Amino acid sequence: MPSTTAVATVKEFPMNPVVRRAPSLFAAGALAIAIAGFAIGPIDTTLTRLILAVVGVAACLIGYRINRMPLMFVSVIGIGGLTVTALTAERLSAGSDLRLSTIIGMPVIGITMVVATAFAIHRRRGNLDQRDAIDLATVTIGASLSTWILLTSHLMNAVDMAPALAILCAVQVPISIVLSTFVVDLLFTGLLRNRAMQLIVVSALVNAVGAVTMCLSLLGAIDVPRGVAVLPFVVAFLLIAASISHPHAPATMQRIDSSEHSIAYTPFRLVVTAACLIVPGVLVGAISPSGSVDTFIRVIAVIVLVATVVARLHIAVEQHEHARLALVRRLDRDELTGLPTRARFVDLVGEVLDTTWRSEFRPTIIQLNLDRFKNINDSLGHYEANRVLVAVSERLTEAAAAFDGEVARSGGDDFVIIDSTTRSSAEAMTRVESIRAALATAITVDDEHVFVTASFGVAVAPRNRTLTSEEFMRRADIATHRAKAGGRNGLAFFDDSMQAHLAHRMDVEHALHGAIGRKEMRLYHQPIVDVNTGALCGFEALIRWQRDGTIMSPLDFIPIAEDTGIINELGAWALNDALRELRGWIADGVVGPDTTVSVNVSPRQIADPGFAEIVRDALVSNQMSPDLLWLEMTESMMLEEPELAQSTLRAIREMGVRLALDDFGTGYSSLSLLQQFPIQRIKIDRAFVQGIAELGNDRSLVRTIIAMARSMGLDLVAEGVETVQQLQTLADLKCGKAQGFLISHPVPADAMRSTMVALDALSSLSMFTPAPPSLASERPPKMPSVDRRHESSNSFPTGHSRPIRQPAI
């Protein structure tokens, strides 16, 4: 069924209450006149004429001047209104007898409404097509034949009037049926909730009731009270007046996309069209003709009906064939470039594999994906970007023709080439270079020079040809993804390790779903201590995955969690769990009340508009002070969406949560980030700490970072401390805090009590100054999230998993 979208936005009535309520007044007047006509009989003719004239003029003025309805539409309605006014005056003054002008006037009203409806359909969806014309003819002929058999022939024989007048009177019934059909049909083209359209539908149905009532009254089948026969037409006119003066009226003529709101196949039209075929057929067979004229009219009408059915079937078959051929063309050829589609390319690959499997040739698929094509689309626009795609397809076709390759477009900016003449990977590499050369020169689009590069994935068929065309293409696709991962304008040849890597990735991705519910995720905590006293300041919470009894390295699952979006769920869990565990340690006296916890934040979490609320909920649910939480983030996440990051981080900072910039010094804009974002701590990357004791350059760089942080009032933490010499050098440089394997490996929550014992032993070493009894650890603020960094970031020294050891000095 067509869409039932609400009406389009249209100009509302002015604030004048009379004008604003005009539709309701007109509709109420129609109801009042109808009730009065049935209840008290004839109404004063002068008053009726005056009311109808005023209503008609007011409605036309409101529709034309305020609702901006087309003048032609308003004029047609005005003609119908004048006819209704004249007929009402005549009918009410003439008693119960119908005069000639009345009988002629009734079809005039119906015809004006049909014309108005056709005009509305034309404005809303364009010209009627062949299907519409045939459906109109079918409904008209079928309704006319049914009316002839049931009414008109009896009027000619039973009523004392000329046959021409009887026919003219009966014509009103099929006109009303046609009108009702297409008015209701128009209602389904996105106007179901349009009040003006609803009034038009009711008006058409009331008009049809009036036409049938009039004919039955003439036949003597019903006894219509004086003045009632013309009342339906008066009510119909008043409802039309209410419709064109309603604020929704302009939407009935707004052009729509016919592909979304097809008027040709609404259920109502199909039902009425079928009825106009079935009912006449039943009547022709059930009621014998009354004479030669009756027989002749029936034969002609049946012939015309059969012709309309045949024509409609012919159009349907023709359109079906056109649709089938168009579908075949779309399956075989890309509409934009004219290249074969992916479905057709699969067949081509199969043919090449079949014809070369016993030869020395090793067919090669070269797949390329245009680098950053979205930037071209966004900057030039969709039309110009399509021209770039066409130019690329032409260059690829020309380059592939040199080695008899077939080019296809497999996706938006993806192209594939099958080469059946290669004998080795080296020869395939030569083909790729020729294609790269074809794309090297600029593409000119409207005086703009556009340069494109592509990431290439190459798959060479094995000599035994044991793979299908789909598997062959999948290999090229895997290689393309590997090339894209290495940066733009990359190249990768498929090998079995790629497929193994992809299988492992899919396995991890599937297992990640529900890992929290299965209680497989763990938090490990690495202590952060004061460099001068050795006293505990806080912990960094690092996420671990205990899968099948083995602790998995974050390198094995965090990147996949970020790509799939699961990182948001993991991050929220890590935040809550870290705060919960810290609250328990403080309550049990394991750590001091000022001990903080740091949680890593993923860029996907920062991009979530609701992340600040997640942080707030975690703090509230765990009843933790905001200044005990640090959120650690890398500068990359702030550079990707700086405005969103600023807004989110400021909201978090306003709660009292503190923010730390992780891996400081490894990027290109760390200094500017300290100015743009509300950072309270910087963490010196382990890459600088590793050589601080032996290398003068590293020591000088760390000294500069420490001096800058002290001048800006920032807290400092050095990461990756593994030797006593490194720790002593940091103390000499007056770095505030440190963490690393020298102090402790990351430990699970249940080992925290023994870890604190080991830390107490550490702080008693002679290199540390004893902390005063009242010394409270500083509290660094931090954000909840998951550890999305390498294992080397203060966890394990290598990427492979290894048992977690007790804290070691």
Side-chain angles (χ1 to χ4, degrees), residues 543-566:
I543 195 168
R544 298 289 184 266
W545 184 8
Q546 186 172 353
R547 185 186 180 197
D548 299 330
T550 303
I551 299 294
M552 291 183 62
S553 164
L555 287 175
D556 291 336
F557 66 90
I558 292 298
I560 299 174
E562 288 184 336
D563 289 344
T564 59
I566 300 175

Side-chain angles (χ1 to χ4, degrees), residues 96-381:
S96 60
D97 297 328
L98 289 171
R99 297 184 179 181
L100 173 61
S101 58
T102 301
I103 299 173
I104 296 176
M106 295 299 123
V108 171
I109 298 171
I111 291 173
T112 57
M113 293 180 71
V114 169
V115 172
T117 303
F119 181 76
I121 293 175
H122 171 75
R123 287 291 297 266
R124 184 149 178 83
R125 62 180 291 263
N127 295 325
L128 299 178
D129 58 20
Q130 289 180 325
R131 297 172 300 176
D132 299 316
I134 292 176
D135 289 347
L136 177 62
T138 302
V139 173
T140 302
I141 300 301
S144 299
L145 179 56
S146 300
T147 305
W148 169 265
I149 296 173
L150 294 175
L151 296 175
T152 309
S153 60
H154 297 287
L155 283 174
M156 294 176 65
N157 297 327
V159 180
D160 186 16
M161 64 174 65
L165 297 182
I167 295 174
L168 192 60
C169 179
V171 163
Q172 175 67 8
V173 174
I175 289 177
S176 300
I177 294 175
V178 171
L179 174 66
S180 300
T181 300
F182 285 90
V183 164
V184 174
D185 210 39
L186 181 61
L187 178 71
F188 283 99
T189 60
L191 295 172
L192 279 179
R193 299 179 184 178
N194 185 295
R195 190 56 55 82
M197 195 64 230
Q198 293 169 356
L199 291 171
I200 294 175
V201 170
V202 175
S203 173
L205 297 177
V206 170
N207 180 71
V209 171
V212 174
T213 301
M214 181 183 66
C215 291
L216 293 177
S217 176
L218 290 173
L219 281 172
I222 58 175
D223 183 16
V224 181
R226 181 184 178 189
V228 170
V230 80
L231 280 177
F233 304 105
V234 177
V235 172
F237 168 69
L238 290 175
L239 291 174
I240 286 290
S243 173
I244 65 173
S245 59
H246 197 280
H248 288 176
T252 62
M253 296 193 181
Q254 290 178 355
R255 180 61 60 89
I256 62 168
D257 184 356
S258 59
S259 65
E260 295 182 2
H261 302 284
S262 175
I263 195 175
Y265 297 106
T266 60
F268 182 81
R269 179 188 288 200
L270 293 177
V271 170
V272 173
T273 304
C276 289
L277 290 171
I278 296 172
V279 172
V282 174
L283 293 176
V284 167
I287 302 176
S288 301
S290 59
S292 57
V293 174
D294 189 7
T295 302
F296 175 77
I297 291 177
R298 293 188 185 198
V299 170
I300 296 299
V302 170
I303 291 174
V304 174
L305 276 178
V306 172
T308 60
V309 172
V310 172
R312 193 68 173 84
L313 288 175
H314 172 71
I315 291 176
V317 171
E318 193 175 52
Q319 290 179 338
H320 175 75
E321 183 62 17
H322 287 165
R324 187 187 68 81
L325 293 175
L327 179 60
V328 170
R329 284 193 298 270
R330 277 196 291 270
L331 289 174
D332 282 348
R333 291 284 168 181
D334 176 59
E335 291 181 338
L336 177 64
T337 62
L339 295 175
T341 60
R342 180 180 177 87
R344 175 57 185 149
F345 189 75
V346 171
D347 295 336
L348 291 174
V349 172
E351 293 170 6
V352 169
L353 291 175
D354 289 341
T355 56
T356 61
W357 75 280
R358 287 186 175 180
S359 68
E360 74 278 15
F361 296 112
R362 300 179 63 188
T364 300
I365 292 180
I366 304 171
Q367 179 171 312
L368 61 142
N369 175 266
L370 300 183
D371 295 322
R372 300 178 186 174
F373 185 75
K374 184 179 183 299
N375 294 344
I376 298 175
N377 203 359
D378 293 341
S379 59
L380 297 182

